[in-house]
Each structure stands twice: as C-alpha cells, then as structure tokens.
Amino acid sequence: MHFIDLKSQYRHIETDVSERIQAVLEHGQYINGPEVRELETCLAEFTGSACCIGASSGTDALLMAMMALGIRAGDEVITTPFTFIATAETIALLGALPVFVDIEPDTCNIDPALIEAAITEKTKAIMPVSLYGQCADYDAINAIAEKHGLPVIEDGAQSFGATYKGKKSCNLTTIGCTSFFPSKPLGGYGDGGACFTNDAPLAKRMRETRDHGQNRRYHHPRLGINGRLDGIQAAVLLSKMALFPGEVKKRGDIGKKYMEALDDTRITLPVIRPHNTSVFAQFTIRIADRDALHKNLQEKGIPTAVHYPVPLHRQPVFNQPDARLPVSDEVAKCVLSLPMHPYLTHDEIKRIATAVKEAL
C-alpha cells in the first residue's frame, strides 16, 4: 500500500505528459517558455485570481511574496508554529522575526482570536497556513489585517483546490502561495510553486523578484532571487490540471469515507468547517498512544506519517523555551496521518479502518 500513489495517477496521463515534455525538448525554451505562461493563465482562471506567478518552489513563492511586500530585517511576521518549517524559514531568511500564534484545537489552523494581541509596531504581515488541505478563517484574519493596515499571505501549500465560503484557496488574501511538490494535491515531478494576487503592481514586483529583480534584461531595480518555474514542470502540471478537478472531488469523498469508517472510535477525527471544503492533503487523526498505533499499522503493511512532530517554536533554529503555545505543543504529540490520495480504493479504506480499530 502506498501512502501517496503517484504511479496510478501517472498511468492516466502518461501519453499527454510525454507529448508535452517532448514539445519542451523540441522548442528548447526551458526557462520562461510558453508552457509556463499557459500554466499561469490556467491556474489564475482556476482560482479566480487576476494574476498567477509561477515559482521554483512553494518556499520560493513565500519568499517572493514577502520580498515584493518589502519585508526586511527587523520586521515581524505573525504565523503559526504548527506547520512545515518553510513557512517560518522564509521569514527568518529575510532577517525578520516569525511571531508564533497558537492554533485552534479542532482544525489545527491559526487561531484568529489570538492574532491581534501579537501585533506590534514592527508587524508587517500575517502569514496563516491552510493546514492539511483546509483554509483558515480568512474573514476573521482579513478583518484584523485591514484594521491594522497589514497584508495577509496565505501559505496554501497544502490547500490548493480547497474552498472557503465558495472562493478558492490562494484567492482569499493579499497574496496566496502554493507548492507543487510531488506529494501536494497538485504536484509536479520536481519542485515548483506559484503566487497569486489581484493586485497588478504587486504581481509585477513578484515577477521581477523571481527573476533576479530585473524589469528588463540587465536592469535590476530591486533585489531578487532565481525563483523561476521551469518549463518541463509546467508541462507536467498542465497535464495534471486535466485530472485535478476530479481528483479534488475524490479527495473529499475519500475523506468522508474515512470519517464514516472511523466515527465510532476514540480517535479524534479532522474537523472541517461547514463553510469549507478540504482537499485532504493529509488525513490526519489524533490519538494519545500514537506511537503504538503507528507501530501496529506498520506491522500490517499500512504506512503512516507524522505532520508535524515538533512545532516550530521547539525547533533548535527557532527555540523559544518560554513560548506558551499549549495547543500546538499538545497536538504535536498525538497527530498521525493515514494514507491519502485520489486513487485510494474502497477496499483499501476498509482495510485501513479495520486495522485501526483492531489496534485500538
């Protein structure tokens, strides 16, 4: 059994992927070629955003977003400690300080009720994460940001394709960023990412930032990075976009089947807000004796993973021994992710659920 099954997906698009990659090899425009522009148009239309800027990774997308907003050394950016390190890593790389705010105990997304108290005169942005495939509470977050004149950057690395009150993830805030790492809901065959915005001047700054800060050849009005999405990854993603809407629906259906199959157990199941849809980048449960369940499932050939075992305020690079973020600390001890991908069969779900119940 696969934790994420990319091979089954590939079998559906093998011919189209090969043809699109061959086209890139034939025209030889490997950087900023026609596939990148086509993909940016396709992704912007999918999210409903005015502008999409392809990036070399989800990490670089976050970096580009903050650089375009002018975030620099000495600034503060409010974010969550319960996420992959890239979220806070990019803040620190700019010399800014990640200010961690605790999470909601049910969704594991940043708790909007705690954000305002963390704002200081040094705060320059709020960066929530749409964790496990579900968007954070952006109405509440945007209202706080507007009150204080702050931009909001959605880290939507896990939520591309999800909706919040009918609107797509990555079109909910000043800038939305996502990742096309292979295991993401929409993943390439290597690294990739994108930024989204409805602000044309901001989009222009992000485009310049991703290309060494230049607005024309050998003219650099700003510092930038080499953050470009390559043409072969764009070709792969264009092939996958044909499947993606159907895969989003399948992910939702599989999430519901898991919920039904595990409803009568002592496991804490994911909570999806009524106004949200989730793409279930992970199907993450909570259980006190996580290690025992992990070992039991492993012995039965069922792979699991932990997202995330150490919250960022406890990581050596950010170590904040005096930080009081009790929900993040507690959740990190008991989360366990079960296999999740659009090609998970009914029999596999039944086998996993049965194995979980037997272990309990």
Side-chain angles (χ1 to χ4, degrees):
M1 182 181 292
H2 299 283
F3 186 75
I4 297 172
D5 185 0
L6 298 177
K7 292 180 181 179
S8 292
Q9 182 194 55
Y10 175 64
R11 285 193 284 270
H12 288 275
I13 55 174
E14 182 175 0
T15 300
D16 191 61
V17 166
S18 297
E19 289 175 353
R20 287 182 181 274
I21 290 176
Q22 186 62 38
V24 176
L25 298 175
E26 291 289 344
H27 65 58
Q29 298 177 58
Y30 302 115
I31 303 296
N32 289 340
E35 288 78 11
V36 173
R37 295 190 293 273
E38 182 183 352
L39 179 67
E40 289 176 339
T41 299
C42 178
L43 296 176
E45 289 176 353
F46 179 81
T47 61
S49 302
C51 307
C52 171
I53 304 93
S56 50
S57 68
T59 304
D60 284 340
L62 295 174
L63 195 61
M64 286 159 45
M66 286 186 286
M67 291 175 73
L69 289 168
I71 292 169
R72 62 194 67 192
D75 292 341
E76 295 178 355
V77 178
I78 293 172
T79 192
T80 167
F82 194 65
T83 179
F84 184 60
I85 195 169
T87 310
E89 177 183 51
T90 50
I91 298 168
L93 282 170
L94 294 176
L97 177 69
V99 175
F100 298 120
V101 167
D102 214 352
I103 59 175
E104 296 174 328
D106 52 359
T107 67
C108 297
N109 277 324
I110 193 169
D111 189 339
L114 304 177
I115 290 176
E116 195 160 20
I119 295 173
T120 72
E121 60 182 15
K122 294 182 179 180
T123 305
K124 301 301 179 187
I126 303 171
M127 189 188 292
V129 175
S130 295
L131 197 73
Y132 296 152
Q134 176 178 207
C135 294
D137 187 352
Y138 286 106
D139 280 358
I141 294 167
N142 288 336
I144 295 165
E146 185 176 1
K147 177 180 175 181
H148 293 272
L150 298 170
V152 178
I153 304 167
E154 178 192 9
D155 182 342
Q158 299 178 25
S159 61
F160 192 75
T163 61
Y164 172 83
K165 298 185 177 180
K167 291 187 68 176
K168 292 275 178 53
S169 173
C170 294
N171 186 26
L172 301 168
T173 57
T174 314
I175 302 173
C177 299
T178 197
S179 168
F180 302 130
F181 185 77
S183 63
K184 301 300 183 187
L186 177 64
Y189 293 155
D191 279 310
C195 299
F196 299 84
T197 187
N198 294 311
D199 184 323
L202 187 52
K204 181 175 182 292
R205 293 199 296 274
M206 285 189 283
R207 290 189 188 280
E208 292 171 359
T209 299
R210 78 167 174 185
D211 198 11
H212 298 286
Q214 66 178 2
N215 59 2
R216 61 180 186 272
R217 192 167 173 81
Y218 297 129
H219 187 261
H220 306 263
R222 66 182 71 253
L223 283 175
I225 62 172
N226 181 1
R228 298 169 301 216
L229 176 67
D230 76 71
I232 288 178
Q233 292 308 322
V236 171
L237 290 164
L238 282 166
S239 286
K240 289 198 174 190
M241 277 303 293
L243 299 177
F244 189 59
E247 290 185 343
V248 168
K249 183 180 184 305
K250 289 178 183 177
R251 284 178 173 274
D253 291 343
I254 290 167
K256 289 177 184 176
K257 289 178 181 177
Y258 261 136
M259 299 277 207
E260 292 167 358
L262 296 171
D263 185 47
D264 58 345
T265 67
R266 58 186 174 87
I267 289 170
T268 300
L269 295 171
V271 172
I272 308 301
R273 295 278 189 250
H275 53 258
N276 281 347
T277 63
S278 176
V279 287
F280 289 103
Q282 291 87 26
F283 188 88
T284 302
I285 61 174
R286 278 181 274 170
I287 183 167
D289 46 351
R290 173 182 68 198
D291 293 344
L293 178 58
H294 160 73
K295 183 179 179 182
N296 191 291
L297 294 178
Q298 187 177 42
E299 290 170 351
K300 295 177 180 177
I302 296 172
T304 61
V306 178
H307 304 96
Y308 298 91
V310 182
L312 298 186
H313 62 288
R314 303 298 182 201
Q315 292 288 351
V317 69
F318 295 125
N319 192 30
Q320 300 176 6
D322 297 328
R324 297 187 64 188
L325 302 164
V327 181
S328 297
D329 284 331
E330 183 59 31
V331 165
K333 297 174 184 176
C334 59
V335 287
L336 185 70
S337 298
L338 302 178
M340 183 69 197
H341 57 82
Y343 302 94
L344 203 62
T345 67
H346 175 77
D347 287 345
E348 286 175 323
I349 296 169
K350 184 177 179 181
R351 176 186 163 196
I352 294 164
T354 300
V356 169
K357 289 178 179 179
E358 289 175 353
L360 297 179

